[in-house]
Amino acid sequence: MDDIGFPPLWLRDNCPCAGCRDPASGQKFFGITDLPADVAIASVEWAPDSVVVVFSPDGHRSVFPLGWLKARRHGEGDARAEQAKTLWMGAALQGSDHLGTPGDTFPAFEWERYRRHDAERLRALVAVRGWGFALLRGAPTAEGTVLRVAETFGYVRETNYGRLFDVRAEAQASNLAFTRLAISPHTDNPYRDPVPTMQLLHCLCNTVEGGESVLVDGFRAAADLREQDRESFERLARTSVPFAWSDGRHFLHANRPLVEVNPEGSIRGVRFNNRSMGAVALAPAEATAFYDAYRRFAELVARPHAHVSLRLEAGDCLIFDNTRLLHARRAYAEGEGSPGGRRHLQGCYADLDGLESTIAALEALTGLP
Ligand code: OGA
Ligand code: ZN
Ligand code: ZN
């Protein structure tokens, strides 16, 4: 019974003893080349919930909890990350594709409860991780509230747009988002590398006709593409696409694929925004095949029953995963066409690592799984 299922160097590198790692920080004292190159297992002794390994040539002794080892078997990490996500179709979420108040299964939470109760905040953040988004309702309608919301789970990612940005119709719009035009499903800022992995949109007022929000699960669309047309999926995953944006002062560009996959093959991110997508530099046959795949993916994104529609009301704040969720807005009328109508959102960016960290901290604090 000497085969633990982990190689000697793996075990030695992961020894939990106080000589190998700082008990305070858990960080390792050594680098990989500090270990004997010919490290081997000299003996193994099984206990009910641990295993004691003695290594040669230096006789180092390590005690590994069996639960700890089990959780680190081949493929475990990726499988757990996938299990934390629920891929969805809008029709199933809402029951129908009408506009209106989100139903029971729609991840929506009240700001006051969210703010006051750790368990409620944990539920909301787990929903963001699982569904890719959640809606907070009843937040204040003061300017800058979006930053306060972001600070409940992470750190604001400042960009050339500022710590926050105003989304309202402007005369000289540097971005179609700042007009009354419809914008089709997209992820934000694909021209950054890395992209802001989380986004918030907070509604200060919305009394216009139109301007409804639409959300699409980009992971579901990518997973469906993989199932229906594996070759197209793989083509998108291996083709770098140039994205760019400039206002004459900032010159942003990134060259990344539309679909990003983990080394294990699971879907890691989508980057989807035709507004700022540039010209791919490919040989003609490759370009044809790329556009064929891109179009198929876009058709899956455009399926009406994949969409969730909602109308952001004053005090609503959408929190979403910008590597997964695509968001859109219908056109709206304001000013002459719609007297008294006004629409003003504020947005900001943050990152998924902060979300994950806050979920873990709240789990530790509340004792909830
Ligand atoms: C954006 C955006 C949507 C909206 O600012 O990124 O997509 O509802 N806005 O105005
Ligand atoms: Zn050790
Ligand atoms: Zn956007």
Side-chain angles (χ1 to χ4, degrees), residues 303-316:
R303 291 175 295 183
H305 65 287
H307 298 179
V308 167
S309 300
L310 66 141
R311 186 186 171 83
L312 290 178
E313 305 290 354
D316 286 351

Side-chain angles (χ1 to χ4, degrees), residues 186 188 199 275 327:
H186 65 280
D188 258 37
Q199 184 173 353
R275 267 182 288 154
H327 61 286

Side-chain angles (χ1 to χ4, degrees), residues 67-272:
W68 185 92
L69 285 176
K70 193 162 171 272
R72 283 155 186 82
R73 296 231 173 263
H74 175 72
E76 272 296 315
D78 202 48
R80 268 209 308 273
E82 288 233 315
Q83 276 161 21
K85 308 216 184 280
T86 311
L87 305 193
W88 52 266
M89 292 289 271
L93 255 190
Q94 270 189 325
S96 70
D97 60 357
H98 72 283
L99 290 178
T101 322
D104 275 335
T105 50
F106 190 99
F109 302 85
E110 291 299 329
W111 165 252
E112 271 308 317
R113 279 174 56 79
Y114 172 90
R115 198 174 63 82
R116 282 173 200 272
H117 303 292
D118 293 332
E120 184 70 357
R121 196 154 64 254
L122 176 58
R123 270 195 342 120
L125 299 180
V126 166
V128 175
R129 179 173 67 186
W131 299 92
F133 76 103
L135 180 65
L136 282 181
R137 290 191 282 215
T141 53
E143 301 219 358
T145 296
V146 71
L147 299 177
R148 283 181 55 206
V149 177
E151 284 159 1
T152 62
F153 65 81
Y155 298 90
V156 173
R157 166 106 76 102
E158 190 168 349
T159 69
N160 54 286
Y161 297 118
R163 266 175 75 72
L164 63 72
F165 50 90
D166 287 288
V167 185
R168 61 186 160 199
E170 290 170 6
Q172 297 286 319
S174 65
N175 191 308
L176 288 183
F178 312 144
T179 68
R180 293 187 289 255
L181 297 174
I183 38 188
S184 59
H186 65 280
T187 59
D188 258 37
N189 292 199
Y191 41 76
R192 292 186 208 284
D193 193 5
V195 294
T197 51
M198 293 198 72
Q199 184 173 353
L200 293 85
L201 283 173
H202 171 240
C203 180
L204 298 167
C205 76
N206 184 11
T207 53
V208 299
E209 224 170 287
E212 296 86 0
S213 307
V214 173
L215 308 175
V216 191
D217 184 357
F219 279 17
R220 175 64 191 258
D224 286 352
L225 180 67
R226 182 173 56 192
E227 198 176 298
Q228 294 170 15
D229 182 354
R230 187 153 200 122
E231 211 179 298
S232 289
F233 175 87
E234 283 168 3
R235 185 173 292 278
L236 294 186
R238 69 168 183 264
T239 307
S240 291
V241 173
F243 289 96
W245 177 86
S246 176
D247 61 356
R249 288 196 305 136
H250 307 90
F251 302 86
L252 297 164
H253 60 90
N255 204 33
R256 305 290 305 165
L258 300 185
V259 176
E260 241 169 293
V261 266
N262 283 318
E264 298 80 5
S266 59
I267 297 159
R268 171 186 167 75
V270 297
R271 212 179 270 247
F272 192 90

Side-chain angles (χ1 to χ4, degrees), residues 221 272 292-307:
F272 192 90
D292 190 51
Y294 176 32
R295 199 185 168 92
R296 270 173 210 213
F297 185 39
E299 281 167 1
L300 292 172
V301 164
R303 291 175 295 183
H305 65 287
H307 298 179

